Amino acid sequence: MTKEIYIAGAAMTPFARHTTRSMQDLVQNAVLDALADAEVTAGEIEAMYNANVYGGMVLGQVLVRDLGITGPPLYNVENACASGATAVHLARQALQLGLYETVLVWGVEMLTALGGGTIPLQRNDYKTDLYAKAGMTLPTVYAMRGTRYLHERGEPADTLGMIAVKNRAHGARNPLAQQQKEVTLEEVMASRPVAEPLTLLQCCPSMVDGAAALVLTTKRPTHGRPATRILASAVQSGHIEEGCDDILDAEITARTARLAYEQAGLGPEAVNVVELHDAFTIAELLYYEALGLCAPGESGAFLRSGATALGGRVPVNPSGGLLAKGHPLGATGVAQMVEVAWQLEGRAHGRQVENARIGLTQCTGGGIAGVDHAASAVHLLGL
């Protein structure tokens, strides 16, 4: 019999430039808040999962040492931008196998420590390194997708900008988002060019720090409020692309989503709220189609219909997404689940999706030559 996996506690720090705080401070605040939210003591935690990309060796042990949470197994997980979601995936597996009853998962990143600029491409893959030396960066990769999208779909460049307007309007309602200011379409399109057709306000901020934490358990929570369950969890790696591939086909995300839907016995029509990986505006449009939220080729019309805005049929990124909330890599996948859990439990004050019962999170990660992405994770959550 498949065990029910509950999110008993969920917490996150503000995503911001935490220039006066350490990574230890951020994680410890998120962890203690998640434990308090779950009404669970540190002594009840049987395993821990730390997700991070740039923090170094045995980082998790360093981060919680001063809390006195030592002894249980601690797993350090790195899977690029999908690190946090992958850590949740591994924790859920262990809970379902009966290895543990209650575990703690957190993700953290301090991108301000990198000094600014774009996130570097993969440097231990010689093919990717050749791309980097030729000037290829993640913004240019997504800019190529954006250019192709506008050409093939006959869409105006404003369609890309509308994603930024929507998500930054959502972020203005989220006190934990890095950027809490609404913008107009004119402001988005007139912001500094980054890589045509993408402008600055169409790219997630790269200077952001933050942490998020979850308490996962097979025990039915007794804290008196609805408890979110993890209905499905899927992680996949990218296929090698041979020949002339379709750069608008988010194959790895579509494949991972199919697995998650099959696990949960649900279809995309059942989803009420989505947190997805909108590192650049074009990504959100492609993921609408890959996740089955709309038919192939209809993402522009789907956006313009208002379906993905607060008050629409399936609000996407009510937190503000990566574009407004920020993208501290290791924390992102966990923070997406914190947001969806709050939405399902009626705790997303100021940006609440009404009557939401099924939520989806999606995170991709890793720029490797010859594959769509290195990793993709999709989770379905429900009451």
Side-chain angles (χ1 to χ4, degrees), residues 164-173 179-184 187-188 201:
V165 173
K166 173 182 72 71
N167 290 355
R168 290 174 185 275
H170 292 173
R173 301 177 175 216
Q179 299 187 12
Q180 301 174 33
K181 180 183 177 182
E182 294 192 33
V183 294
T184 66
E187 288 172 325
V188 171
L201 292 179

Side-chain angles (χ1 to χ4, degrees), residues 6 118 134 192 215 224 261 266 278 292 369:
Y6 297 96
T118 62
R192 178 169 59 82
V215 175
Y261 289 136
L266 298 170
D278 60 322

Side-chain angles (χ1 to χ4, degrees), residues 30-66:
V31 163
L32 291 175
D33 286 349
L35 291 172
D37 192 48
E39 298 183 1
V40 165
T41 66
E44 295 175 76
I45 299 300
E46 298 169 278
M48 295 173 282
Y49 297 78
N50 165 66
N52 177 264
V53 179
Y54 290 111
M57 292 190 297
V58 295
L59 179 68
Q61 289 87 335
V62 171
L63 295 175
V64 296
R65 173 193 58 203
D66 297 338

Side-chain angles (χ1 to χ4, degrees), residues 16 18 24 29 73 99 256 284 307 356 362:
H18 290 287
Q24 284 90 342
N29 283 358
L99 299 179
T256 310
E284 180 164 325
Q362 174 267 343

Side-chain angles (χ1 to χ4, degrees), residues 273-321:
V273 59
V274 175
E275 283 285 315
L276 60 71
H277 192 99
D278 60 322
F280 302 89
T281 52
I282 179 59
E284 180 164 325
L285 289 162
L286 298 182
Y287 294 145
Y288 288 168
E289 300 177 16
L291 296 171
L293 302 179
C294 68
E298 296 184 2
S299 54
F302 189 59
L303 169 68
R304 286 188 292 273
S305 75
T308 61
L310 280 168
R313 180 173 70 77
V314 53
V316 174
N317 289 326
S319 70

Side-chain angles (χ1 to χ4, degrees), residues 218-254:
T218 56
K219 302 176 183 178
R220 183 177 291 276
T222 59
H223 45 43
R225 65 172 183 270
T228 298
R229 295 174 296 142
I230 301 180
L231 305 179
S233 174
V235 173
Q236 293 281 282
S237 60
H239 290 314
I240 295 176
E241 297 172 333
E242 298 179 353
C244 184
D245 63 284
D246 182 358
I247 63 175
L248 301 186
D249 178 20
E251 184 277 332
I252 186 174
T253 293

